[in-house]
């Protein structure tokens, strides 16, 4: 019998180049490890919930930032050396600018696809902090930061800070008028730090403003931030892999098991699909919506400032903290002028950020709860924590809104002093009101849940009993809904004296 080309004479099965390469790779140590990992991921379960999607969004943003950033590196010139511009954008022809801005304009107008990639880089940098903040909020309000996931909370917070540093350092690299105004504000803040302010300014700028700030920020943006960000992300993924994922209470879910879909292929396909959707949307927005049009701002100048300049949204709370300090807050002591207009905002913002990163440890110390928690909380079932979270959001929103106090005043024809005074009151009184109201709302929702557990859902059906009494028939809860409202999974016993098990028929007496 004649042998068919491409088939084995023994088994008759076709063997291709990829099949042979896969078999050879499988015999290596790395191949065996990959096969073992794949088999483990096929059996590893993860719960499905919308709050888990923010991590994929963050990962897509990081991927877009890294890929587009590598492309931009080949064309960007990190130099403050002044040159004359003679590029494709004719309104600036002959203008004097730095090599940094000249190269950025060349990327935007002369490099094929350069503007698209530059805007994708910027939009991804704007979306990344939002995705991480939403991930922090969902982690906070569901109690996913408790043991054994406190390290994951700290890593997520550090990822946010690294993203802010990366965004701020990249904001200044085009060296246009808007970024130059922001750098001038930074110089004023640094100089306002008592004792060491002048030394820090000279170290950062390399001399008098603007000095060599572009040359100093460029390695931070392209080396330090990416390395730290990728390291933190890898460590967080590693920590998450070693720990079982947290899940909401439901039927069959306990503190010891995980109910969900396997990582391979189900969860991986879902995450990959969302990854591609986010990436596609970023490029779609980049192709249709202009961001950071530096050609309209013009080149940076040490003696000029851009009117109505605003920082990127993720640093607005820092600018707002500076604007809320009353004028004249300074005094002379030990031969130095202590400018409270800088020291106080830095101290307040520093304390706020410290409270965020240390909250899991503070809550554990206050409550004395050192147990491991694999079931998540419903926010209404932890009214104090939820109130603290909303109060923190209100404080942040007050600082963030104050960063645009001048624009609010001009757009709504108000006095800027009145707008600033409103935000000064809001950041002090607002968190207190938010805490009290949120806590009361949570307690009210708890009472509503208890009513539903005891009597079921209202159906609107009124029936008359043989004795003449009118009752409303209630729909009993199924087991999944009952455990979701209890929020404790299957392992918690029913409290003594409370029969929360729904009867087959439920009814409430109504007034006849």
């Amino acid at each position: 019998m004649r042998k068919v080309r491409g088939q084995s004479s023994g088994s008759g099965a076709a063997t291709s180049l990829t099949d042979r390469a896969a078999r050879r790779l499988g015999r290596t140590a790395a191949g065996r490890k990959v096969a073992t990992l794949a088999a483990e991921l096929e059996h590893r379960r993860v719960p499905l919930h919308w709050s888990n999607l923010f991590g994929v969004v963050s990962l897509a943003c990081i991927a877009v930032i890294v890929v587009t950033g590598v492309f931009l590196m080949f064309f960007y010139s990190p130099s403050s050396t002044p040159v004359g511009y003679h590029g494709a954008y004719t309104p600036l022809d002959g203008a004097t600018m730095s090599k940094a801005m000249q190269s950025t304009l060349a990327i935007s107008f002369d490099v094929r696809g350069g503007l698209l990639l530059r805007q994708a880089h910027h939009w991804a940098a704007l979306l990344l902090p939002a995705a991480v903040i939403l991930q922090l909020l969902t982690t906070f309000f569901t109690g996913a930061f408790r043991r054994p996931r406190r390290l994951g909370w700290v890593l997520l917070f550090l990822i946010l800070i690294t993203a802010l540093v990366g965004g701020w350092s990249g904001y200044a690299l085009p060296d246009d008028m808007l970024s130059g105004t922001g750098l001038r504000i930074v110089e004023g803040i640094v100089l306002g730090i008592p004792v060491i302010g002048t030394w820090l300014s000279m170290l950062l700028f390399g001399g008098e403003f603007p000095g060599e700030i572009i040359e100093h920020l460029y390695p931070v943006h392209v080396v330090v931030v990416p390395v730290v960000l990728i390291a933190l992300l890898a460590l967080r993924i590693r920590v998450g892999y070693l720990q079982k994922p947290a899940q909401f209470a439901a039927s069959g879910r306990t503190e010891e098991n995980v109910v969900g879909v396997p990582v391979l292929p189900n969860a991986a396909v879902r995450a990959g699909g969302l990854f591609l959707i986010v990436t596609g949307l970023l490029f779609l927005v980049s192709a249709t919506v202009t961001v950071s049009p530096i050609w309209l701002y013009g080149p940076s100048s040490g003696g000029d400032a851009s009117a109505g300049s605003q920082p990127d949204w993720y640093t607005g709370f820092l600018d707002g903290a500076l604007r809320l300090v009353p004028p004249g807050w300074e005094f002379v002591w030990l031969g130095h002028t202590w400018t409270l207009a800088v020291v106080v905002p830095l101290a307040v913002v520093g304390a706020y950020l410290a409270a965020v990163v240390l909250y899991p440890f503070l809550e554990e110390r206050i409550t004395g709860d050192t147990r491991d928690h694999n079931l998540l909380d419903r926010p209404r079932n932890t009214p104090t924590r939820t109130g603290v979270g909303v109060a923190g959001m209100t404080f942040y929103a007050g600082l963030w809104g104050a960063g645009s106090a001048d624009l609010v005043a001009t757009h709504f024809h108000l006095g800027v002093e009145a707008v600033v005074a409103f935000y000064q009151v809001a950041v002090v009184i607002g968190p207190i009101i938010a805490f009290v109201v949120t806590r009361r709302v949570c307690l009210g929702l708890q009472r509503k849940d208890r009513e539903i557990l005891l009597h079921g859902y209202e159906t609107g059906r009124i029936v008359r009993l043989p004795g003449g009494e009118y009752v409303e028939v209630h729909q009993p809860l199924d087991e999944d809904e009952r455990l979701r409202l209890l929020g404790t999974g299957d392992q918690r016993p029913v409290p003594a004296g409370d029969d929360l098990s729904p009867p087959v028929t439920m009814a409430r007496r109504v007034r006849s």
Side-chain angles (χ1 to χ4, degrees), residues 309-352:
S309 62
Q310 298 292 311
D312 281 335
W313 75 267
Y314 46 83
T315 55
F317 74 105
L318 300 173
D319 194 20
L322 295 171
R323 299 190 184 199
L324 292 183
V325 179
W329 273 27
E330 63 181 32
F331 61 91
V332 178
W333 183 50
L334 299 177
H336 297 279
T337 300
W338 298 74
T339 306
L340 298 182
V342 173
V343 175
V344 171
L346 291 178
V348 170
V349 172
Y352 176 77

Side-chain angles (χ1 to χ4, degrees), residues 121 153 249 276 368:
H121 189 80
W153 170 268
L276 295 177

Side-chain angles (χ1 to χ4, degrees), residues 180-239:
T181 302
L183 287 176
R184 177 64 84 177
I185 296 174
V186 171
E187 184 205 25
I189 296 173
V190 174
L191 288 174
I193 300 176
V195 183
I196 61 173
T198 303
W199 176 79
L200 286 177
S201 178
M202 297 295 291
L203 179 65
L204 178 62
F205 289 89
E208 295 294 333
F209 183 87
E212 299 177 347
I213 185 63
I214 302 298
E215 291 82 351
H216 290 178
L217 288 181
Y218 183 72
V220 173
H221 186 71
V222 302
V223 178
V224 177
V225 169
V227 170
V228 173
L229 187 62
I230 293 175
L232 290 173
L233 183 63
L235 183 57
R236 176 169 167 78
I237 293 175
R238 175 64 177 173
V239 170

Side-chain angles (χ1 to χ4, degrees), residues 140-141 352 359 363 382-394 431 434-436 438-439:
F140 179 87
F141 286 113
Y352 176 77
Y359 184 86
E363 181 181 286
T382 55
T384 300
R385 180 201 299 153
T386 304
V388 170
V390 175
M393 293 172 59
T394 304
F435 174 81
V436 174
T438 302
R439 194 171 187 277

Side-chain angles (χ1 to χ4, degrees), residues 462-477:
I462 307 298
V463 298
R464 183 179 181 181
L465 300 180
E469 181 181 15
Y470 289 90
V471 296
E472 179 184 13
V473 177
H474 281 218
Q475 176 67 34
L477 278 69

Side-chain angles (χ1 to χ4, degrees), residues 31-325:
R32 288 191 293 271
K33 289 183 179 180
V34 171
T36 303
L37 178 62
E40 182 178 349
L41 292 179
E42 288 177 357
H43 295 86
R44 185 183 178 92
R45 299 276 172 168
V46 292
L48 294 179
H49 195 264
W50 61 265
S51 60
N52 299 330
L53 303 179
F54 295 124
V56 181
V57 176
S58 302
L59 188 61
C61 293
I62 293 175
V64 172
I65 290 172
V66 172
V67 173
T68 56
V70 171
F71 172 85
L72 296 174
M73 285 174 57
F74 289 102
F75 301 95
Y76 178 76
S77 177
S79 174
S80 302
T81 304
V83 295
Y85 177 73
H86 301 285
Y89 189 69
T90 55
L92 288 178
D93 186 58
T96 301
M97 60 184 64
S98 65
K99 284 187 177 181
M101 183 171 183
Q102 181 193 46
S103 61
T104 307
L105 288 174
I107 292 173
S108 303
F109 295 105
D110 300 328
V111 178
R112 189 181 299 273
L115 182 59
L116 173 64
L117 294 180
R118 176 175 166 263
Q119 296 199 148
H121 189 80
H122 199 126
W123 279 117
L126 292 176
L127 181 59
L128 176 59
V132 177
I133 289 175
L134 289 174
Q135 198 172 355
L136 281 168
L137 290 176
T138 55
T139 302
F140 179 87
F141 286 113
T142 58
F145 55 80
R146 296 172 295 177
R147 288 177 183 263
R149 298 173 183 84
R150 296 183 301 175
L151 178 58
W153 170 268
V154 175
L155 292 174
L156 188 59
F157 175 83
L158 294 178
I159 289 175
L160 174 62
I161 298 300
T162 306
L164 296 184
V165 174
W168 171 77
S169 58
Y171 173 86
L173 291 182
D175 200 30
D176 59 291
M177 181 65 72
L178 184 61
S179 63
T181 302
L183 287 176
R184 177 64 84 177
I185 296 174
V186 171
E187 184 205 25
I189 296 173
V190 174
L191 288 174
I193 300 176
V195 183
I196 61 173
T198 303
W199 176 79
L200 286 177
S201 178
M202 297 295 291
L203 179 65
L204 178 62
F205 289 89
E208 295 294 333
F209 183 87
E212 299 177 347
I213 185 63
I214 302 298
E215 291 82 351
H216 290 178
L217 288 181
Y218 183 72
V220 173
H221 186 71
V222 302
V223 178
V224 177
V225 169
V227 170
V228 173
L229 187 62
I230 293 175
L232 290 173
L233 183 63
L235 183 57
R236 176 169 167 78
I237 293 175
R238 175 64 177 173
V239 170
Y241 177 78
L242 295 177
Q243 301 168 348
K244 69 173 85 173
Q247 59 187 349
F248 286 95
S251 178
R253 298 180 179 180
T254 68
E255 292 281 0
E256 287 74 30
N257 70 347
V258 177
V259 178
V261 299
V263 176
L264 287 179
N266 303 59
V269 171
R270 291 170 181 265
L274 179 60
F275 182 95
L276 295 177
I277 290 174
V278 173
T279 303
L281 288 176
L282 281 173
F283 278 94
L284 177 63
V285 172
S286 304
T288 55
V289 183
T290 302
V291 64
S292 185
I294 63 170
W295 51 90
L296 299 180
Y297 305 143
S300 175
S301 175
D304 299 326
S306 177
S309 62
Q310 298 292 311
D312 281 335
W313 75 267
Y314 46 83
T315 55
F317 74 105
L318 300 173
D319 194 20
L322 295 171
R323 299 190 184 199
L324 292 183
V325 179

